[in-house]
Amino acid sequence: MSLIVDNLKAVEATLPQEVTLVVISKFHPIDEILEVYNQGVRNFGENLAQELIPKYEALPKDINWHFVGSLQRNKVKQIIPFVSMIHSVDSIRLYEEIIKRARAVPRQVDLLLQVHIAEEETKSGFAPDEIEAVVNDIRLRQNDAPYRRIRGLMGMATNTHNTQQIKNEFHNLKKLFDRIRKTLPLNEKDYFDTLSMGMSGDWELAVEQGSTLVRIGSKIMGERQYNHI
């Protein structure tokens, strides 16, 4: 087995079955993605539209593509016909662009609302104290319903060696997720089921605090191979 497959097996052996694994394949070539695909993985994540599109075209069509990076509004049109889930909805303007483009296809897209839980200003997202109002605002836009499902929340912890701080940030996001979910009617609660938190450096802490989906790249794929298509 290759090192990539060995890494994947090691993660899968530790990851609870109920937690979804999204393998972050950005900056890795087709043949390496196929190694992971051939082990049964179907969820892959990319953060650049210009890299995602040729990979989508070249790889098997039963892959669920997750867009995990900051998404520019002028790139939405390019990925909306096929992307399975967008993790990084961090503004109402981006949400509205997604709806506009999904309506034009037409299709329904799964979305996660990104919450800013880290100390770094470079990370984006809705403020924790505004996210409940944002969810309610979106829910009232019933004409949008055929084109989106709000599946849950996403957050990235501070890049720090302070594990207690990371745990606290994840714990607070889990409390927020649970509080929002409790307020939803049954038909929406059924699919508001995803809390995306945890990456290569902190995924085990995220799972401990209640993550239902982890985004793991270098821990499985190794160092990035290139920075452009």
Side-chain angles (χ1 to χ4, degrees):
M1 288 193 296
S2 72
L3 181 58
I4 288 175
V5 173
D6 286 342
N7 291 342
L8 173 65
K9 298 290 187 187
V11 169
E12 289 181 330
T14 308
L15 191 68
Q17 281 192 331
E18 65 272 16
V19 178
T20 299
L21 169 64
V22 175
V23 175
I24 305 303
S25 51
K26 64 183 182 181
F27 305 150
H28 287 274
I30 298 294
D31 60 332
E32 292 185 356
I33 298 172
L34 280 172
E35 281 191 65
V36 179
Y37 174 89
N38 289 334
Q39 296 301 310
V41 173
R42 293 296 180 268
N43 292 299
F44 289 88
E46 293 282 335
N47 73 336
L48 295 172
Q50 62 267 33
E51 184 175 351
L52 172 55
I53 292 164
K55 287 180 176 178
Y56 164 75
E57 292 171 346
L59 286 159
K61 294 303 177 281
D62 61 340
I63 288 177
N64 302 312
W65 289 106
H66 296 246
F67 194 91
V68 299
S70 179
L71 179 57
Q72 296 173 300
R73 294 197 307 282
N74 63 359
K75 301 294 185 183
V76 172
K77 182 180 180 180
Q78 299 174 30
I79 67 169
I80 211 68
F82 65 85
V83 72
S84 294
M85 179 180 282
I86 298 173
H87 289 231
S88 48
V89 181
D90 59 2
S91 71
I92 290 296
R93 291 182 71 194
L94 175 58
Y95 167 81
E96 291 172 343
E97 182 66 21
I98 291 168
I99 295 300
K100 174 184 173 182
R101 298 304 179 181
R103 183 179 280 116
V105 174
R107 66 173 298 233
Q108 188 176 63
V109 185
D110 285 348
L111 307 177
L112 299 178
L113 302 177
Q114 183 172 348
V115 183
H116 187 275
I117 59 172
E119 286 189 351
E120 293 114 327
E121 291 300 321
T122 53
K123 289 186 170 76
S124 61
F126 295 101
D129 60 3
E130 70 173 335
I131 191 63
E132 290 178 84
V134 169
V135 171
N136 287 329
D137 173 36
I138 290 173
R139 286 185 59 244
L140 292 174
R141 303 181 185 211
Q142 288 302 309
N143 291 338
D144 296 351
Y147 311 107
R148 53 83 175 140
R149 291 194 305 172
I150 304 301
R151 292 291 305 276
L153 307 178
M154 183 273 268
M156 292 183 285
T158 302
N159 184 14
T160 176
H161 294 297
N162 184 340
T163 57
Q164 190 56 54
Q165 180 180 348
I166 295 170
K167 284 183 180 181
N168 290 342
E169 290 169 354
F170 286 150
H171 176 73
N172 290 335
L173 185 57
K174 175 62 162 62
K175 285 201 304 183
L176 194 52
F177 172 81
D178 288 343
R179 189 161 71 239
I180 291 171
R181 192 168 189 273
K182 283 180 182 177
T183 67
L184 298 176
L186 279 176
N187 64 317
E188 294 178 43
K189 190 177 296 187
D190 285 346
Y191 60 77
F192 191 92
D193 60 359
T194 302
L195 180 56
S196 172
M197 56 186 195
M199 299 185 290
S200 286
D202 57 18
W203 70 267
E204 290 168 305
L205 296 175
V207 169
E208 179 186 314
Q209 297 304 318
S211 174
T212 70
L213 182 153
V214 293
R215 313 175 304 276
I216 302 181
S218 59
K219 193 82 173 178
I220 293 172
M221 303 297 290
E223 293 305 309
R224 297 169 185 173
Q225 299 301 302
Y226 57 89
N227 59 11
H228 60 84
I229 286 289

